[in-house]
Every structure is written in structure tokens, then in C-alpha cells.
Amino acid sequence: MTWHTAGALFRDRRTLYALTATGFVLSWAIPRFGLLDAYVQLILMYVGINVILCLSLNLINGFMGEFSVGHAGFMSAGAYTASLLTVRVFPHGVAWAFPAACLAGGCAAALLGLLVALPSFKTRGDYLAIVTLAFVFIVKSAVENIDAVGGPRGFLGMDHLTTLPWVFAWTVGTVFVIRNFIYSRYGRGVLAVREDETAAEFMGVDTRQVKVLTFVVASFFAGVAGALFAHLLQYISPGMFDIVKSTEMLVMVYLGGVASIGGSLLGASLYTVLLEVLRPLAMWRMVLMPLLLVLLMIFRPRGIMGMREFPWFRRRPQARGGGRAAGVTAAAQPRAQVPILLDVSGLTHRFGGLTAVSGFGLRMSSSDLVGIIGPNGAGKTTVFNLITGAYRPDKGRILFAGQDITGRRPGEINAAGIARTFQNIRLFKDLSVLDNIMTAHYARSACGVAEALSHAGRYRADESRVRDHALDLLAFFEMEGQASACAGSLPYGLQRRLEIVRALATRPRLLLLDEPAAGMNPLEVDQLMEFIRRVRAEFAVAILLIEHQMRLVMSVCERVEVLDFGTTIAAGTPAQIQSHPRVLEAYLGQEAAS
Amino acid sequence: MTYLIQQSLNALQLGSVYALIALGYTMVYGVLTMINFAHGDFFMVGAFLCFLSVARLHLPFVPTLLISMAGVALLAVAVEVSAYRPLRKAPRVSAIITALGVGIFLEHFTLALSPYPLHIPPAFENVTWNAGGLAVSSLQVVTVLLSVGLMAALQFVVARTPLGIAMRAVSWDRDTASLLGVPVNRVISATFAIGGALGGAAGMLYALSYPVIDPYMGVLVGWKAFISAVVGGIGDIRGAMLGGYILAAVEIAVAVALPSTYRDFVAFSLLIVLLIFRPYGIFGRPRPQKL
Amino acid sequence: MSAGQALLEVRDLAVSYGGIQAVKGISLEVRQGEIVALVGANGAGKTSTLRAISGLLPYSGEIRHEGTLLRGLPPHRIAARGIAHVPEGRGIFANLTVDENLKLSAWPCRSRAARDRGTERVFALFPRLKERLGQPSGTLSGGEQQMLALGRALMSGAGLLLLDEPSMGLSPLLVKEILAMLTDINRQGVTILLVEQNANMALRMASRGYVFGSGQLELSGTGQELLGDPRVRKAYLGA
């Protein structure tokens, strides 16, 4: 067999199916006919359990980019729940007892996962790490104080119910479900939270929903792994599920690679097997392992397979669904017109002692194209942040299409019909161009949780509708060719443009562009001007833009507002503004006016 | 009443150790916004250096203290330069994982050298004074006074000396500090050295108070000290000190009122409750986010 | 230093970061005792140029200070050569007092005498800072913060000041005041390289100026020449 055919086999999904089927047969045959000695079988089962743990932790820490150390707690909950059921509740010797106990263990852990997800709404990174850390100690301490499960002495009496076929089945099931989850609307939300949580929220991703789901799914499988572990060892104690256990899982995740299913398979297998192989080194193996990890972090900070995927687990290349979608432009999606789209009055915002915006007012109709200019620090971006809900104004009111949106959350404001771009491009840089656009469809996707986890029901229809719409949008702006490129790898001008297209994908009625021409060369600025005009005409959106490149402002905007010290100092047509004495003063300095 | 005072003394003793360790976490977080998860193991190394000095070299208290402090300071700088510095521009998580890795390495390296728990003989004659039912040992007095002294010294360094000013400047804005001629890398190393020295002192005091030591002792105590830093507001030096004493007081109070096995449960639950109401701790404040 | 040699010489400087080429091959020089203004619209590459000079950004091309190549020197070594950079937004350490801000920049001074000389000089220039020594610098007004930033830069006895938008966020009256101070400082023998959006203000006080547009130099000349040049106005307002 040549390398070429080997490569082809590696890419072909049927190989995976064949391997899985073979795996099932082997997992049954090995213990049945004693093909491998008991010790090797035990290691294989540990590999499977560790794969489940590693992959489910990777969902939170790798795919979602949070830093949770709580997995030992989830595992403990699953292990104890399942063990209690098989020993005390379920009749012994019945076939359904063990799978039911595993499921129950998973559910118990998922319930805890729900609890842990709540603090993650407000805090990120370090503080989530602290909360989950405390969680591990709390679970351990709680179990130690329950005499019914043996307290600190531990719990035993479980039958040896964990067998190779069960471990294999649960491992395959975990890979299947988590992969499905990642390649669904929620999975795109998970990745968006990792890439840029703030931007995700502004694009209509319900980040709270995404976090809750991710924690629930991940902790469920950690609970299942705990159940399997308990019925393999036939003895559990609270001390087994301490922070050291969590650390071990973290090592597997970051060894194999973050945000990679293949990486988790590799990391868990490598870690488990390596520990066994290095057994002759006795104590020194645990000296060697962390050293390897440190070296790995220095030379490959994201792990061996970090952010990459085995071909088998990649998303299936998707063909466009049935014909063109209905169309992406306004003509295809008419909307009721309102006379005044945006009505901002008396808007004031302070940072500490500094009043960044003071008494700002602005009215826009549904077809306006308005520019905001002003020197650095004049409060322009703060106005955008107030309108889109990033900040809550100290005073003032924002009406949008007759609705009071003052102080709402960014997601709600996006749903009301306002989308924005950012001064420093905030694309989901490690995601493809197409995924960037599809993520912005989050709020209008019909796919439910069960459908996302199983890829059944409406999943396919919904996915292809969203994908087609995203592709049409890209095609409309002649960016279809870049659909599978990584957003961060696009040339700068194209990234700016993609950010606008992504905002359009949320179907806004008002588009806020924060310095769209920043860093562009004159040619790119020319193209951008054309682009903005086209967006306005074809998508029937009102546009409000902040810009320093006067050439752009003067040629595309119909009205210009000049901001200085947080208030409008002048407003009018571009021509009026260019010769306005206060504008010259604000820009060029005092003497320019005289 | 005497019982209460007695328990307060115990809390003061334990809190001193927590506070000293918490300072190491908080100082490193202050300058690098990095959680140095290996710090609990620095503390453990301090305890083992204490064993080496007292049991093997038969040195008295003061040289032992110096050995523990200097040894751990050196270790902290070596770890910073070799493991953390290359990752300064890498994703933050890589640095955290590296710190966990360094911690596991230190635990097991120590374990490989010394597989059994060690018993430390007293470094000086421990006298216990009894007065009105109250028992105060000289060890308790030394622990509390020395810790308070070290914290006062740290407070002086941070508040008054050029190094302290530079440390605070680096924690506010590394780039601008370098523009003013502050050698940022050296300041960061110095921060690790000071944090390490305090951790070393804590290790020694802990080992003398609770004289059976093992390589995993840094895990639980370290995490708890970390929690103390968080309670006070991580990055804030006064917060770390206060947090250490608060946590110790809570733990001792729980041990008095409930079966002692509830200690961790209550302490960590309180932490979560605190974080819900004050997500940045007692003294911590969030930096505004820029869009 | 020979008479004809520039204090600071930048040749073919190109800077890129985050996928943007911010500076695309510019050359400029600053001679002893000059005030040189870099003007141009936002995002034209002025700030990146300053940051490259002080070693904060990697670059291609050559930057020489008193004839020595600066490449590879860390920022604090460049500062120790007598190049003081006041960054955009002033870079005040709001968590330090005024006094501590000043002490911090005396780091490169080895001798106490040098430090005292620096302090005296700063107080002579900015008497208001002396009144506020113990105050947390975050509570200073914008103008006072700018004075602190300038004073801090002068503490170490730097011979070359790099100033990034000293007028930003200040009222016209304060801008005038700061401008007068800069002229004063310059008369005391400090060379100044000034980045400004406020072009007229900068060019009026500058001996020479360079006009930036999209990472390239569009114009250069003496301050007076550029002041009257309509192309400067065009670079800003596009008309």
C-alpha cells in the first residue's frame, strides 16, 4: 500500500465506520476469547474513560475557550450517583441497570454543570477557574460528610459492570454527540464565545444559552465517565476526585490539543499509555511527564493537534442545498417602514470623572447615511457603545423603530435590528469566513438542542438553509471564493468588508460602522465607498458611520455630525461641514478658522 | 471567652501562613495577570528546605529561615525565567497549564527524592505559657510576629522603594514602564523572588507548626492561600493579607461550631457566595473593557 | 558628535503588526535642538513610527540615535540613552502618586545628584506638580496629567522627547499652554519629535515637519512652508 492510498483511506469517512464496526466486534471478542491479557484490557478501558473525560473537558476549555478545572467534581457526582443506584436501588443482575445508572450519573453531573454555568455568565477566564476550583473542593467535602456513601472512607459494593464493549460504546457515543454539538448552531456559538464573546453577543448569539448547554453536555459525559470508572474499580472515595484528578484531565486536553476531537483521542490515549509504559521509571515518570508538558507548552502552546482536526472528524464538505435561496437583498425581504428609525436624545455617559458623551442627540430615518466625525477622544465610539448596549447610559433615551431600547443587552438590541462593526476588527479570526457569517444567523436558526446533538430532525434542513443564505450573502459581495478561508488570514481590507457582511447577516435595519476605512490604502478606500453605497441601496439599511478618512465621509455621507467633547458641535451636509469654522478649529487647531 | 481567644490565636497563626502564601499569588498576578499555580509547591519546597536545614544540617532558626527564603526565591526566579518568560506572548492558558506542570513537577521531583512523610524536629525550644486557661506557645508568637514583620517589610518595599514603584507601574502598563527606562524583565523576576521568599518563609513556619511534611502538602494549602488572595481581590496586596486571615478565621470558626469535616465545604461555599456579590474580591476592581 | 550628523535618523522604516502594514518605508531625521512635527490624519502611521523608535514594535529599516543603531535594544535601554517617549493618552500610572510617577522615570539615573537636578528642573517648569506631589495621579485634570507626563519624561535628563498627541482631549486654552511649555523645554536644549493631529499648532512651532498619509510620507518641509500648503489641509479633510 502506498502512502497515497493510505492518505486516501485516512480521509475517507467509510474507513472510520469500518474501524468503528471492527472496534465493536473486537471489544466484544477480546474479553470473550481472552485475546489480550487482563492488564492490557484494563488499560484499554482506562483509555476509553479518559477519552470521554478529555473530550468533554475540551468542549469547555478548548472549543469554548473557558478555563474550568471542575471536571473531577462532575466525575465524582456521576460515580457516586451511579454506584448508589446499582448497589442500593436497582435489582442486581438485570441488564438495564448499568446503562440506566450511567445515564443517571450523567444527568446528576449535568445538573451540577447547570449550576456551575451560572457564574460563567458574568465572569470569564481566571474567575471561572476559581469558581470551578471551589466547586471541586465543595463536592469532595460534601461527599466526605455523607455517611450513607461511606464519607471519607469511600464506597464499595459495586459489581464489575464496566466492560470493554460498554466503554467502547460510551466512547463512540461521546465522540458522536460532541462532534454533532460542535457542528451545529450551538457549536458555532461555542466557538464564537471563544473567539470573541463580546462580538458574538453583538451578532445575536445567546451566549448564556450557549454556556449553559456546553456545561450541561460536558458535565453529563464527565458524569458518565465517573460511572464507568466506579464500576471498573469497584471502589470510590472522595479523595479520588480531587483537584489532582482535574489537573490530570487538563494535562490530557492540552497535550492532545485544544479544540480538537482527534486531539482529545490522541491526548487521552497517549497520556494513559505513556504512564503505563513509563512504569519502570517508578516515581520519576511523574517527574518526566510534567516536564514534557512544559516543553510542549513552550514549543506548541496549543498542544499537539491544537485547533486542527483529523479528516474523519471534520465537517463533511457540504454542497449547496436545493438551488438558490430566496435572495439576500431587501427586495426579497421587504419590511414595514417607519418614519423615524432612530431617535436618540439627551444621551450622557461618564467614565469616572470624565464625561465622554454629554447630551448627545441624533435622529435618523430608515434610509439615512450619516457620518460622525470629530477629533480623537471626542466620544464617537462611546456613542456607538451606548446605542448598541455595550454601556448603559447615565442619562438619555434611545428609541429604535418606536421601541425604547435604552439599557437593553447587546443581544436584544441586535434582535431589534441594530448591527455594528468595531474599530479594531473583531472577526472570529480562527473560524472560516463562512462560519463567521453562519454564526451571525444564530438567533434565526430553528434547530433545537436535541436535533443539534443528534443531527436528526430539522437539523439538516435548517443547516442548509442557513448555509445557503450565508453563501448567497458572500456571493452577493463576490466573496464566495474565500468562504472556506480562515477569517484571520484574509487581507486587511477584506477583513473589514467581511465584518460588515457578518453584521448584515443579522438582518439589521440600522448598521453602525466604526472606522470602516481605518488602515486602508486609497484604493481600498475607493472600493469601500462603493461597497457602502451598495449595501445601503440593496439592503435598505440606514447607516451610521464613524470615520477619520474625510474623503470617504465627504463622498458617501449625506449628513455629517461633528462631535467634540461629547457633544455635537456642528451638523450639516459634507460641503457645509468642510468650511464650518468650528470644524476647522476642532481639526486643525484654533488658528485655522481665522 | 478564653476559648474564643484561644481559637483566635490559632486563626492568627494559620492566617499568617495563608497570608504569606497569598501574597506570592497576588504579586505575580499583579504584574503579569497570571495565576502562578506552582506557588503552592514553592511553599512546599520551603518546608522541605526547612527540614534539610534543621534535621540534616542542624542549623538554628535564623539560618534556616534564610535558607528557606533564599532557596525558594531562587527557585521562583529560575521557574519564571525558564518556563514562564518564553510564554509571555502565548495564549494565557498556556502559561496557566505550564504553571500546573511546574507544580506537578516539583511535587513529584520531591516525592522521588523523599518518598515518605518527614518529621521535622523543633528548630528552637518551644515554650508554652499558660495564663488563665490560655495557652500560648513561643512558636505561635514567632509565627505571627515574623509574618507580620515580613508583611510590613513587603509593604515598605512596595510603597516606598524604587523597586516597589516600578512593580506597581509594570502592573499598570508594562509598555509605558519600559519607555521610562524601567527594566521590565528584571522587575518581574524581582517580583517572583519576593513572592518566592515569602512562600519559603511560610513553608518553614508551617512545617514548624505542623511538623509532618510531604510533597503534596502544597496542593491544599496552596489552593487555600490562592482563595485567600481571591477573597481579598487578586492583585491587591492588602487584600491578600486580609484574605488570609479571613479564611483562617472562617475555617477555625467552622471547626468550632460544626464537625471539622465541614471546614472545606463551608469555606469554599462562602467563597462562591462572596464572588457572586463581589466578583473582584474585597479590594479588587475591574478594569474597564475597551471596544 | 559631528556637526552634520542627525541626532535621530530613520531610514526606510516599515512597521507592520496585526496584519496591517502601518508604516511603509519612510525616512526622516531629527537634528539636535529641533522641533520636528509629524502630522497627518488618524491611522497614517505616526504613532507606529514613534513606537518603533522606542523599541516597542519590531520593524525593518534602520533607526540610528547619535549614530548608533537601535535595533535589538529593549525599550528601557533606548530610554536610558536619553530618548523619552510620552505615549498617546499620556501613559500616566493612575495607581501611583504624582511623586511616584516622577520617581519612576528617574530609574536610569544612578546618582542622587542627577536625580535632584532633574526634580528641580521639572518643578521649575511645572510648579503646579509640586503642589500635587502626594496626590494619586489618576485624580489630576487632563492638563495636569499632560504636565506630569512631560515632567516625568524630563526627569531622567533626556535629550530627545518623543511626544504622541500632547494636545489630545485638552481644551484650546490648555493646548496653548502646553505648546508654550514645549517651546520652553526646547529652548533648554531638548530636541522634540512631535506627533500631532492638530496640524496648525504643531507646524507653527516646529522647525520642520513631515506630513504622513497612509503609512507614507506625502510632504516634508519647514514648518512655515507646510503651514501655508493647501495639500496639508487636503491630507486631513480631503478637500
Side-chain angles (χ1 to χ4, degrees):
Chain A
M1 189 167 69
T2 65
W3 280 114
H4 184 73
T5 47
L9 273 177
F10 194 58
R11 275 188 298 277
D12 194 335
R13 196 174 288 274
R14 279 170 301 187
T15 319
L16 179 66
Y17 296 148
L19 280 177
T20 311
T22 318
F24 266 115
V25 172
L26 278 177
S27 75
W28 169 79
I30 287 171
R32 183 83 174 76
F33 302 109
L35 299 182
L36 292 171
D37 74 76
Y39 171 70
V40 177
Q41 285 187 40
L42 187 71
I43 303 306
L44 281 179
M45 284 191 269
Y46 275 126
V47 167
I49 292 171
N50 281 340
V51 165
I52 298 174
L53 288 169
C54 182
L55 187 55
S56 61
L57 182 59
N58 207 340
L59 190 56
I60 299 173
N61 286 26
F63 289 101
M64 192 155 70
E66 297 276 10
F67 192 74
S68 162
V69 297
H71 249 48
F74 299 135
M75 194 182 171
S76 175
Y80 271 94
T81 309
S83 303
L84 263 179
L85 288 174
T86 54
V87 174
R88 301 262 168 86
V89 181
F90 293 158
H92 285 252
V94 290
W96 54 265
F98 185 52
C102 287
L103 278 175
C107 291
L111 213 60
L112 286 182
L114 189 68
L115 278 181
V116 173
L118 298 180
S120 79
F121 288 171
K122 271 210 251 169
T123 55
R124 252 190 93 75
D126 302 342
Y127 274 80
L128 186 70
I130 294 160
V131 169
T132 51
L133 168 69
F135 166 76
V136 171
F137 281 109
I138 289 173
V139 170
K140 174 170 175 264
S141 183
V143 175
E144 277 172 354
N145 284 293
I146 303 174
D147 272 336
V149 292
R153 295 179 310 280
F155 187 68
L156 37 77
M158 290 79 90
D159 293 328
H160 192 285
L161 295 173
T162 301
T163 56
L164 206 50
W166 274 125
V167 173
F168 191 75
W170 275 111
T171 309
V172 171
T174 308
V175 173
F176 176 75
V177 171
I178 288 186
R179 181 183 172 278
N180 283 349
F181 183 65
I182 291 161
Y183 297 131
S184 74
R185 118 197 223 214
Y186 303 106
R188 281 190 291 273
V190 169
L191 300 181
V193 166
R194 175 189 73 204
E195 294 289 312
D196 190 332
E197 187 173 341
T198 309
E201 236 170 292
F202 284 104
M203 293 307 128
V205 174
D206 186 344
T207 53
R208 297 184 171 194
Q209 186 185 33
V210 164
K211 286 179 177 181
V212 166
L213 268 176
T214 307
F215 269 95
V216 166
V217 170
S219 49
F220 174 84
F221 285 110
V224 169
L228 293 171
F229 178 78
H231 291 86
L232 179 60
L233 218 61
Q234 293 175 271
Y235 166 69
I236 49 177
S237 72
M240 290 175 176
F241 308 105
D242 62 357
I243 192 67
V244 177
K245 187 85 196 166
S246 280
T247 311
E248 209 181 1
M249 292 181 227
L250 287 171
V251 170
M252 288 190 270
V253 169
Y254 292 93
L255 174 74
V258 292
S260 165
I261 297 169
S264 281
L265 294 180
L266 188 73
S269 316
L270 209 61
Y271 181 82
T272 319
V273 171
L274 212 58
L275 273 190
E276 292 305 323
V277 172
L278 294 179
R279 205 168 268 281
L281 291 179
M283 239 111 57
W284 290 98
R285 70 187 171 144
M286 285 307 287
V287 178
L288 199 65
M289 287 297 281
L291 263 189
L292 288 178
L293 182 73
V294 170
L295 287 179
L296 185 77
M297 283 297 123
I298 292 174
F299 295 107
R300 257 198 105 81
R302 283 167 159 177
I304 300 171
M305 294 270 307
M307 313 288 286
R308 290 180 308 163
E309 199 56 276
F310 282 146
W312 289 334
F313 302 118
R314 281 186 204 141
R315 188 204 291 270
R316 213 181 294 243
Q318 309 273 8
R320 185 185 275 282
R324 289 238 141 193
V328 290
T329 59
Q333 301 153 355
R335 266 190 300 224
Q337 293 295 308
V338 282
I340 297 171
L341 186 66
L342 181 73
D343 186 359
V344 180
S345 54
L347 208 59
T348 299
H349 192 70
R350 295 185 196 89
F351 294 109
L354 180 87
T355 306
V357 175
S358 103
F360 176 82
L362 175 70
R363 273 185 171 205
M364 286 178 73
S365 84
S366 42
S367 60
D368 273 354
L369 209 172
V370 178
I372 299 184
I373 64 170
N376 262 341
K380 305 180 296 289
T381 298
T382 310
V383 166
F384 269 28
N385 286 338
L386 290 167
I387 296 178
T388 53
Y391 305 150
R392 192 181 271 273
D394 292 321
K395 264 192 238 152
R397 204 181 48 165
I398 306 162
L399 290 180
F400 183 71
Q403 208 183 341
D404 191 348
I405 58 164
T406 321
R408 297 264 191 92
R409 292 202 302 133
E412 296 171 313
I413 291 176
N414 178 260
I418 301 181
R420 70 173 291 179
T421 65
F422 300 89
Q423 208 174 94
N424 309 307
I425 307 180
R426 299 185 80 149
L427 287 170
F428 308 127
K429 285 205 167 64
D430 284 326
L431 307 188
S432 74
V433 168
L434 181 63
D435 279 336
N436 266 273
I437 308 287
M438 285 174 76
T439 304
H441 285 77
Y442 185 91
R444 288 195 323 285
S445 176
C447 174
V449 176
E451 292 161 327
L453 294 178
S454 60
H455 281 195
R458 282 172 298 177
Y459 170 80
R460 268 164 209 281
D462 188 59
E463 273 298 284
S464 70
R465 186 183 60 78
V466 167
R467 197 181 49 249
D468 287 354
H469 187 265
L471 282 171
D472 285 341
L473 206 53
L474 285 174
F476 183 82
F477 291 108
E478 286 113 35
M479 290 174 74
E480 216 178 3
Q482 278 97 358
S484 55
C486 176
S489 70
L490 292 185
Y492 182 75
L494 223 49
Q495 289 194 24
R496 282 262 174 219
R497 201 184 279 214
L498 175 60
E499 209 193 11
I500 301 177
V501 178
R502 185 183 64 175
L504 280 176
T506 67
R507 290 195 202 161
R509 313 173 75 170
L510 173 63
L511 189 57
L512 271 52
L513 307 177
D514 197 347
E515 296 197 25
M520 286 189 171
N521 64 37
L523 192 71
E524 286 171 322
V525 174
D526 284 340
Q527 292 167 344
L528 181 71
M529 293 197 284
E530 193 45 48
F531 185 80
I532 291 175
R533 288 199 192 95
R534 205 165 155 220
V535 164
R536 208 250 314 233
E538 302 271 359
F539 289 82
V541 284
I543 296 178
L544 180 61
L545 61 87
I546 294 174
E547 191 43 74
H548 282 295
Q549 298 249 2
M550 290 305 148
R551 195 160 62 90
L552 183 141
V553 176
M554 298 304 164
S555 83
V556 303
C557 297
E558 290 137 7
R559 217 168 82 215
V560 180
E561 304 262 333
V562 187
L563 231 64
D564 204 5
F565 298 105
T567 40
T568 310
I569 56 165
T573 64
Q576 287 167 336
I577 292 300
Q578 268 173 317
S579 52
H580 198 294
R582 289 197 65 183
V583 179
L584 291 177
E585 184 189 316
Y587 266 85
L588 293 171
Q590 230 172 353
E591 302 76 12
S594 47
Chain B
M1 188 61 203
T2 29
Y3 184 64
L4 204 69
I5 297 176
Q6 184 73 59
Q7 293 301 341
S8 310
L9 269 176
N10 293 345
L12 222 52
Q13 185 187 6
L14 183 62
S16 297
V17 174
Y18 284 162
L20 284 180
I21 310 171
L23 283 169
Y25 280 107
T26 230
M27 287 170 67
V28 167
Y29 192 88
V31 295
L32 283 183
T33 57
M34 171 203 163
I35 303 176
N36 176 20
F37 278 137
H39 190 67
D41 299 298
F42 290 173
F43 155 83
M44 174 274 294
V45 172
F48 273 83
L49 285 175
C50 169
F51 172 83
L52 201 69
S53 168
V54 174
R56 291 286 139 81
L57 304 175
H58 306 292
L59 292 173
F61 182 78
V62 174
T64 302
L65 178 71
L66 293 179
I67 286 177
S68 287
M69 290 179 71
V72 178
L74 271 177
L75 172 70
V77 172
V79 167
E80 190 268 322
V81 171
S82 61
Y84 299 162
R85 191 173 291 177
L87 286 168
R88 215 166 281 160
K89 290 200 172 103
R92 274 162 53 87
V93 163
S94 313
I96 297 181
I97 297 296
T98 303
L100 283 172
V102 169
I104 302 175
F105 169 78
L106 290 174
E107 284 157 27
H108 291 96
F109 189 75
T110 314
L111 187 73
L113 295 178
S114 147
Y116 306 105
L118 298 171
H119 188 273
I120 299 193
F124 54 89
E125 200 187 339
N126 192 7
V127 195
T128 306
W129 298 288
N130 284 296
L134 204 67
V136 183
S137 71
S138 51
L139 185 61
Q140 271 178 326
V141 174
V142 166
T143 302
V144 174
L145 287 186
L146 184 63
S147 307
V148 172
L150 284 173
M151 285 186 253
L154 174 73
Q155 191 66 40
F156 175 79
V157 169
V158 171
R160 299 285 155 142
T161 63
L163 175 65
I165 297 175
M167 278 163 56
R168 282 181 285 147
V170 168
S171 87
W172 187 262
D173 183 343
R174 221 184 289 168
D175 274 357
T176 303
S178 71
L179 288 180
L180 294 175
V182 175
V184 172
N185 276 337
R186 251 187 289 160
V187 171
I188 291 173
S189 292
T191 309
F192 270 86
I194 295 175
L198 295 177
M204 175 198 178
L205 293 173
Y206 189 88
L208 292 177
S209 308
Y210 312 93
V212 178
I213 61 170
D214 70 85
Y216 293 109
M217 66 186 277
V219 179
L220 191 63
V221 176
W223 288 114
K224 282 190 178 165
F226 171 62
I227 297 285
S228 310
V230 173
V231 166
I234 194 156
D236 190 289
I237 287 184
R238 290 163 307 156
M241 298 182 197
L242 188 65
Y245 288 108
I246 290 179
L247 185 70
V250 168
E251 287 198 340
I252 302 251
V254 171
V256 170
L258 297 166
S260 67
T261 47
Y262 283 93
R263 196 185 56 194
D264 291 357
F265 183 78
V266 175
F268 287 107
S269 300
L270 278 181
L271 169 79
I272 290 189
V273 172
L274 176 91
L275 285 184
I276 290 170
F277 292 107
R278 281 202 72 95
Y280 296 91
I282 295 172
F283 289 118
R285 249 191 248 130
R287 289 262 194 112
Q289 192 196 11
K290 219 175 135 57
L291 288 181
Chain C
M1 203 172 83
S2 65
Q5 197 181 16
L7 179 64
L8 183 79
E9 196 182 349
V10 175
R11 199 175 289 158
D12 300 324
L13 179 74
V15 183
S16 43
Y17 60 92
I20 315 170
Q21 217 190 344
V23 179
K24 304 161 190 165
I26 59 146
S27 299
L28 55 87
E29 59 171 36
V30 180
R31 288 175 222 129
Q32 183 77 44
E34 278 188 321
I35 297 183
V36 174
L38 307 183
V39 299
N42 224 298
K46 308 183 300 282
T47 295
S48 302
T49 304
L50 288 199
R51 288 174 71 82
I53 293 172
S54 24
L56 288 178
L57 287 178
Y59 55 87
S60 66
E62 278 182 6
I63 299 177
R64 281 171 201 277
H65 177 240
E66 292 173 339
T68 313
L69 272 179
L70 296 185
R71 176 185 300 288
L73 286 185
H76 71 271
R77 291 230 178 281
I78 294 178
R81 294 185 58 92
I83 301 180
H85 182 162
V86 180
E88 201 175 336
R90 301 173 198 120
I92 294 295
F93 297 102
N95 59 337
L96 304 186
T97 64
V98 171
D99 190 34
E100 288 170 339
N101 265 284
L102 291 173
K103 276 188 184 146
L104 182 70
S105 56
W107 186 286
C109 300
R110 282 287 149 237
S111 78
R112 198 185 172 87
R115 225 173 301 165
D116 290 345
R117 267 202 308 280
T119 320
E120 257 170 58
R121 182 167 164 216
V122 170
F123 288 156
L125 268 166
F126 310 106
R128 219 173 325 160
L129 291 182
K130 200 171 181 176
E131 298 159 23
R132 316 231 166 215
L133 275 183
Q135 203 171 317
S137 54
T139 63
L140 295 182
S141 73
E144 287 166 342
Q145 288 196 7
Q146 187 61 57
M147 288 177 207
L148 175 56
L150 286 174
R152 203 174 57 177
L154 291 171
M155 275 295 284
S156 56
L160 173 61
L161 275 187
L162 312 180
L163 303 179
D164 200 345
E165 306 243 1
S167 76
M168 185 167 132
L170 298 183
S171 70
L173 206 68
L174 271 173
V175 170
K176 236 180 187 162
E177 209 175 314
I178 295 287
L179 184 138
M181 288 171 187
L182 290 184
T183 318
D184 252 17
I185 294 170
N186 177 246
R187 281 208 198 98
Q188 294 179 12
V190 178
T191 309
I192 296 178
L193 177 59
L194 176 72
V195 158
E196 258 299 340
Q197 262 197 98
N198 193 327
N200 285 15
M201 167 202 131
L203 292 175
R204 267 162 54 104
M205 62 186 285
S207 359
R208 290 182 305 109
Y210 295 89
V211 181
F212 276 58
S214 302
Q216 279 150 339
L217 282 185
E218 302 209 325
L219 285 174
S220 66
T222 67
Q224 287 307 316
E225 282 167 13
L226 293 175
L227 256 181
D229 198 317
R231 284 176 295 178
V232 176
R233 186 171 143 164
K234 189 157 180 265
Y236 276 82
L237 292 177

